[in-house]
């Protein structure tokens, strides 16, 4: 049974509706996510509000001790949690392990909060007057996560939020609630004061109750752009600080001087890894000049030979997509691309994986899709790569900048000058140079721009510290007359 965790205890939800949690590879039911009512968001928010005054007074050096313990518990239970991610989300065990490693890195970075949270000061800004900036926690903060990284994405926010002295209400995706059940069970063993971290399961109604709740001061959201926009607008209208990371349609540009062998390896991994369900997945390959046919041949080979199957089985390189609806949507977008003139040079539709009845779509490569086709600009969120050819890098950069999204763009080249030009001109938040999944380490912001991000400060690193703290400036004068003789 999937339960909420409120005020330091596990509670069954009073929800009247549930969502079935299904293993996307086998179709087995793993549990039922309660669609918790607004009342339970209120209970979690009130518990977090009660815990806040004493948690914020707890010295930062003591707050981070819980993170050191959490890191050690996550290491002990690393394989079990990774396996849970594969069970509910479908990615391969190797991908789940990689995800948990990234989650733990965020805990490690937040352990440096005694230094990270420091402000700054100036003595004698005027005669005898000093000024300082201190960072203080905000209060109750909410975290709303998507399905595709059930372990990592909550950790872009959680360790920073609590190390800064805030308390938290977390809502995982209703499709993959089991990973956070395991993480909360570990937190429960750490003697963290009751109410510092709370978990409420559910869907849209929980999100809206968070956005409308008067004691919640800040919202960190990751998911599709349509919902990110909604969360940003409604949260801001209710006076909350919001950071909302949205969807993507990520291009790579391949120049004729690229190393095709290594480029095709990493681009295939970016396009088809996690079954294309990464916000940093490559979905458009733009080849420049002579790069076209050579690149197309090698990437087709990589797509054809990628082993698709159950993520817990040895040798499997790509798992299923999350739901049957998702598979149907991906296949219908490929159908649409074909009816818009694309050639499916590798066709992954209606995949058959012997022994399994999951939501499998095999790697698909499209050639000749008109740039004007709606599919070119739609986030497919599946293992589909479309290849486009242009004459020069300016045309390639114009394509990179023409879409709605701005999550990531990558360039493959042997030329530093082209690399610099690309870095300078591509209007996206994450740039890869000879790298096709430019996932920032935990001590850098997980960036994103234009239609892929709504807000100012991103998750992870120093951005997270700034997001989870309020700056306060103090100007002080102590007249010398206030010296007393002792
Ligand atoms: P989603 O937008 O459907 O759901 C995200 C969260 O919002 C979930 O917790 C869900 O319960 C809630 N939600 C869904 N519909 C809602 C509604 N109408 N009103 C209020 N809340 C709602 O996203 P998803 O399918 O879980 O995740 C995939 C998406 O997330 C993709 O678009 C992907 O690109 C994006 N993503 C972005 C990043 C990033 O860093 N930019 C990272 C990972 C995933």
């Amino acid at each position: 049974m999937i339960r909420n965790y409120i005020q330091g205890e596990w509670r069954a939800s009073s929800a009247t509706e549930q969502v079935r949690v299904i293993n996307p590879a086998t179709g087995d039911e793993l549990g039922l996510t309660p669609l918790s009512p607004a009342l339970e968001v209120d209970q979690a928010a009130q518990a977090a509000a009660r815990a806040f005054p004493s948690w914020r007074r707890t010295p930062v050096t003591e707050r981070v001790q819980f993170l050191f313990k959490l890191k050690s518990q996550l290491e002990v239970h690393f394989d079990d949690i990774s396996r849970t991610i594969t069970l509910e989300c479908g990615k391969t065990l190797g991908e789940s392990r990689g995800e948990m490693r990234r989650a733990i890195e965020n805990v490690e970075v937040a352990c440096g909060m005694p230094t990270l949270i420091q402000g700054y000061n100036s003595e004698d800004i005027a005669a005898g007057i000093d000024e300082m900036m201190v960072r203080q926690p905000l209060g109750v903060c909410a975290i709303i996560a998507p399905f595709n990284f059930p372990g990592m994405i909550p950790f872009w926010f959680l360790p920073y939020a609590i190390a800064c002295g805030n308390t938290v209400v977390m809502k995982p995706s209703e499709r993959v609630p089991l990973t956070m059940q395991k993480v909360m069970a570990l937190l429960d063993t750490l003697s963290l004061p009751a109410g510092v971290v709370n978990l409420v399961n559910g869907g849209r109604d929980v999100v809206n109750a968070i956005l409308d709740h008067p004691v919640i001061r800040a919202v960190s959201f990751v998911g599709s752009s349509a919902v990110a926009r909604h969360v940003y607008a409604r949260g801001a209208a209710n006076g909350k600080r919001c950071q909302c990371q949205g969807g993507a349609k990520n291009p790579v540009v391949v120049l004729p001087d690229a190393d095709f062998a290594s480029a095709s390896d990493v681009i295939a991994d970016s396009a088809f890894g996690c079954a294309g369900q990464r916000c940093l997945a490559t979905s458009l390959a733009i080849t420049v000049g002579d790069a076209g046919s050579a690149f197309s041949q090698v990437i087709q080979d990589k797509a054809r030979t990628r082993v698709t199957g159950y993520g817990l089985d040895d040798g499997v390189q790509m798992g299923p997509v999350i739901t049957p609806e998702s598979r149907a949507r991906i296949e219908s977008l490929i159908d649409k691309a074909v009816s818009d003139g694309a050639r499916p040079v590798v066709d992954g539709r209606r995949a058959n994986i012997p022994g399994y009845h999951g939501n499998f779509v095999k790697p698909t490569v499209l050639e000749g899709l008109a740039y004007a086709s709606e599919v070119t600009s739609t986030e497919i969120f599946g293992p589909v790569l479309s290849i486009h050819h242009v004459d020069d890098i300016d045309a390639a950069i114009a394509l990179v900048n023409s879409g709605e999204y701005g999550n990531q763009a990558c360039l493959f080249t042997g030329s530093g000058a082209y690399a610099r030009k690309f870095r300078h001109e591509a209007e996206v938040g994450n740039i890869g140079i000879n790298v096709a999944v430019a996932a920032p380490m935990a001590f850098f912001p997980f960036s994103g721009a234009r239609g892929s991000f709504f807000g100012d400060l991103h998750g992870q690193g120093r951005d997270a510290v700034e997001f989870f703290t309020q700056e306060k400036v103090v100007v002080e004068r102590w007249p010398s007359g206030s010296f007393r003789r002792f």
Side-chain angles (χ1 to χ4, degrees):
M1 182 62 190
I2 291 149
R3 289 175 299 170
N4 294 336
Y5 184 76
I6 297 174
Q7 185 70 44
E9 60 186 32
W10 289 102
R11 295 187 190 172
S13 171
S14 62
T16 52
E17 281 182 84
Q18 282 94 18
V19 170
R20 294 168 73 218
V21 183
I22 304 288
N23 180 323
T26 63
D28 295 339
E29 185 170 307
L30 303 170
L32 290 173
T33 308
L35 295 180
S36 302
L39 172 72
E40 286 160 14
V41 173
D42 179 54
Q43 289 167 352
Q46 299 298 352
R50 280 191 298 276
F52 177 63
S54 95
W55 183 243
R56 77 162 280 197
R57 280 195 307 272
T58 304
V60 62
T61 47
E62 287 178 35
R63 293 197 298 253
V64 297
Q65 296 310 314
F66 291 98
L67 295 183
F68 284 110
K69 289 190 223 161
L70 177 60
K71 141 101 179 150
S72 135
Q73 284 301 302
L74 289 169
E75 296 289 2
V76 171
H77 297 273
F78 187 83
D79 279 333
D80 179 40
I81 300 177
S82 302
R83 198 167 177 280
T84 303
I85 294 174
T86 294
L87 287 177
E88 65 178 352
C89 186
K91 60 182 70 171
T92 67
L93 193 53
E95 289 168 341
S96 299
R97 288 197 178 113
E99 167 173 354
M100 275 316 290
R101 188 49 57 207
R102 288 292 179 123
I104 292 172
E105 279 170 9
N106 278 283
V107 180
E108 293 165 350
V109 171
C111 283
M113 200 55 73
T115 311
L116 293 169
I117 203 169
Q118 286 174 346
Y120 49 86
N121 63 322
S122 295
E123 199 179 39
D124 285 322
I125 48 141
I129 301 181
D130 307 327
E131 182 161 350
M132 71 182 92
M133 187 279 278
V134 292
R135 292 193 173 280
Q136 299 188 331
L138 303 174
V140 181
C141 300
I143 299 167
I144 302 165
F147 82 82
N148 63 330
F149 282 93
M152 176 183 74
I153 287 179
F155 280 90
W156 287 353
F157 312 106
L158 177 70
Y160 305 96
I162 61 175
C164 286
N166 302 284
T167 56
V168 164
V169 175
M170 157 118 64
K171 191 207 89 68
S173 165
E174 62 275 36
R175 289 183 264 176
V176 291
L178 298 171
T179 304
M180 277 302 120
Q181 293 280 295
K182 298 238 164 184
V183 168
M184 287 295 146
L186 296 184
L187 275 167
D188 191 49
T189 64
L190 303 183
S191 308
L192 196 65
V196 171
V197 179
N198 304 273
L199 176 82
V200 183
N201 288 287
R204 187 172 52 191
D205 291 348
V206 170
V207 172
N208 289 334
I210 285 171
L211 297 174
D212 294 342
H213 200 288
V215 311
I216 295 177
R217 293 284 316 279
V219 178
S220 302
F221 172 90
V222 181
S224 59
S225 284
V227 182
R229 246 188 225 104
H230 162 72
V231 169
Y232 192 63
R234 188 151 163 178
N238 287 326
K240 299 184 199 316
R241 182 181 286 201
C242 297
Q243 49 178 189
C244 300
Q245 309 208 178
K249 182 84 186 180
N250 302 308
V252 298
V253 175
V254 183
L255 297 189
D257 65 349
D259 173 343
F260 288 114
S262 73
S264 60
D265 267 347
V266 292
I267 294 171
D269 217 45
S270 174
F272 311 128
C274 296
Q277 299 173 119
R278 270 196 288 232
C279 68
L280 297 181
T282 293
S283 47
L284 300 176
I286 302 167
T287 55
V288 175
D290 297 342
S293 57
F295 174 77
S296 180
Q297 276 314 314
V298 279
I299 202 80
Q300 286 182 41
D301 291 345
K302 301 275 176 204
R304 276 193 201 95
T305 53
R306 199 161 189 95
V307 181
T308 305
Y310 186 19
L312 290 183
D313 289 346
D314 285 343
V316 166
Q317 295 171 304
M318 192 183 99
V321 297
I322 188 73
T323 56
E325 295 74 30
S326 186
R327 180 187 56 199
R329 177 180 170 276
I330 294 163
E331 292 190 341
S332 76
L333 283 166
I334 302 172
D335 295 344
K336 167 94 174 85
V338 172
S339 73
D340 284 355
R343 293 184 308 284
V345 289
V346 182
D347 192 344
R349 289 173 287 183
R350 285 160 272 288
N352 175 29
I353 307 297
Y356 295 107
H357 302 287
N359 321 313
F360 294 100
V361 182
K362 284 192 175 178
T364 297
V365 179
L366 302 172
E367 283 256 23
L369 178 62
Y371 213 82
S373 163
E374 164 196 338
V375 182
T376 312
S377 52
T378 302
E379 180 179 38
I380 298 177
F381 225 51
V384 182
L385 180 70
S386 69
I387 304 181
H388 303 259
H389 304 287
V390 297
D391 290 337
D392 58 40
I393 188 159
D394 288 313
I397 292 174
L399 285 186
V400 166
N401 292 343
S402 65
E404 164 198 356
Y405 298 107
N407 217 34
Q408 172 190 268
C410 300
L411 178 73
F412 285 79
T413 183
S415 153
Y418 279 129
R420 187 180 186 284
K421 175 181 170 69
F422 188 79
R423 192 180 73 194
H424 196 67
E425 295 178 16
E427 293 167 7
V428 300
N430 300 292
I431 295 272
I433 302 293
N434 297 319
V435 163
V437 180
M441 297 294 285
F443 32 90
F444 285 92
F446 198 101
S447 201
R450 296 192 286 139
S452 297
F453 181 69
F454 306 92
D456 305 299
L457 297 163
H458 297 84
Q460 297 198 149
R462 287 185 216 163
D463 267 35
V465 180
E466 287 186 40
F467 183 80
F468 287 116
T469 52
Q470 175 72 51
E471 293 176 351
K472 186 180 274 183
V473 172
V474 183
V475 181
E476 274 187 358
R477 171 165 47 201
W478 293 98
S480 51
S482 62
F483 286 123
R484 287 173 52 203
R485 287 182 175 280
F486 297 110

